Amino acid sequence: MITDIEDFFAHGCGRCARFATADCSARQWADGLKELRRICLAAGLSETVKWGHPCYMHGDRNIAVLGAFRNDCRITFFNAALLKDPEGVLERQGPNTRHPNMIRFLDNARVAEQESVLTSYLREATGYADAGLKPPKDAVDFDLPEEFLDALDADPDLNEAFQALTPGRRRSYAINLNGAKKSETRIARIAKFRGRILSGKGANER
């Protein structure tokens, strides 16, 4: 996966064989992604790379992440359960997504047309970050670390695959990730586990 922000906008995320080719989704949606980037930066957010994608932060809180797929480009909000969504534009990334958390664009030009809505939602999310607010955790029999919840929100394929695992396999990742004392270690383990989760395996399966 890429680690430099400019590489994403020039070549893609680096997760598949289409990286740096004309068929890369990030290149196909380049205009829309550049507009989303501009709007996020204009909202005063800082820019970094997480999970191979542009992630926008306020202080130490993740606010939104950008993504590109074959049929759309999108902005996904973290802690989206807090957002009021007065415009009704938030969608679920899949049937197992916890809350509607993304705004999807099927036309590059629609991003600029939705600038006022995007700015409003970003400001609302930033306000919650300033207040230290987070949505209540869903009832489960194990706790997932914040880094993994953020990764699931940012990566719909990973989220769908993780939710499809048996409870025991999901628990194995919770135990493994919670065993890491440092955030950097948890993030590194998440990247290492991605392929295993997509294959339907538990943390300790080969």
Side-chain angles (χ1 to χ4, degrees):
M1 292 186 292
I2 56 99
T3 56
D4 184 274
I5 192 70
E6 299 302 334
D7 283 341
F8 177 84
F9 293 100
H11 308 297
C13 66
R15 282 179 165 172
C16 73
R18 293 185 291 128
F19 177 66
T21 70
D23 197 36
C24 175
S25 296
R27 287 186 169 180
Q28 293 177 3
W29 293 97
D31 291 342
L33 290 168
K34 287 177 182 177
E35 282 296 293
L36 286 170
R37 182 189 199 185
R38 178 185 64 78
I39 292 167
C40 288
L41 292 175
L45 301 177
S46 60
E47 183 180 61
T48 187
V49 175
K50 293 188 178 183
W51 314 287
H53 287 76
C55 182
Y56 296 87
M57 305 182 67
H58 180 67
D60 61 352
R61 285 276 295 271
N62 295 326
I63 300 298
V65 64
L66 306 187
F69 297 82
R70 287 191 181 274
N71 297 317
D72 66 80
C73 66
R74 60 185 66 176
I75 180 170
T76 302
F77 292 87
F78 297 94
N79 298 308
L82 294 171
L83 295 175
K84 297 181 175 64
D85 192 21
E87 303 295 328
V89 292
L90 292 177
E91 301 179 41
R92 295 179 186 271
Q93 296 195 61
N96 294 314
T97 302
R98 293 172 295 159
H99 305 283
N101 64 351
M102 71 165 178
I103 300 178
R104 193 161 52 108
F105 298 94
L106 305 179
D107 182 341
N108 280 315
R110 284 289 294 162
V111 178
E113 294 172 5
Q114 291 282 78
E115 180 170 357
S116 62
V117 173
L118 289 164
T119 299
S120 174
Y121 282 40
L122 290 169
R123 286 176 177 165
E124 182 184 353
T126 300
Y128 295 135
D130 278 333
L133 295 177
K134 292 185 178 182
K137 290 185 177 181
D138 295 335
V140 292
D141 60 354
F142 54 85
D143 289 326
L144 294 172
E146 194 70 25
E147 295 87 351
F148 192 49
L149 292 174
D150 285 348
L152 294 176
D153 281 340
D155 188 339
D157 291 335
L158 180 64
N159 184 40
E160 291 298 308
F162 182 74
Q163 300 300 336
L165 294 177
T166 63
R169 288 189 172 106
R170 293 200 299 271
R171 190 178 296 107
S172 72
Y173 288 105
I175 293 171
N176 189 291
L177 293 171
N178 284 324
K181 295 181 179 180
K182 295 183 178 181
S183 178
E184 308 87 75
T185 304
R186 290 190 289 272
I187 291 172
R189 288 186 184 182
I190 291 165
K192 182 182 72 173
F193 285 150
R194 185 176 188 272
R196 195 172 297 176
I197 293 171
L198 293 178
S199 297
K201 297 179 179 179
N204 301 313
E205 292 182 76
R206 294 186 180 277

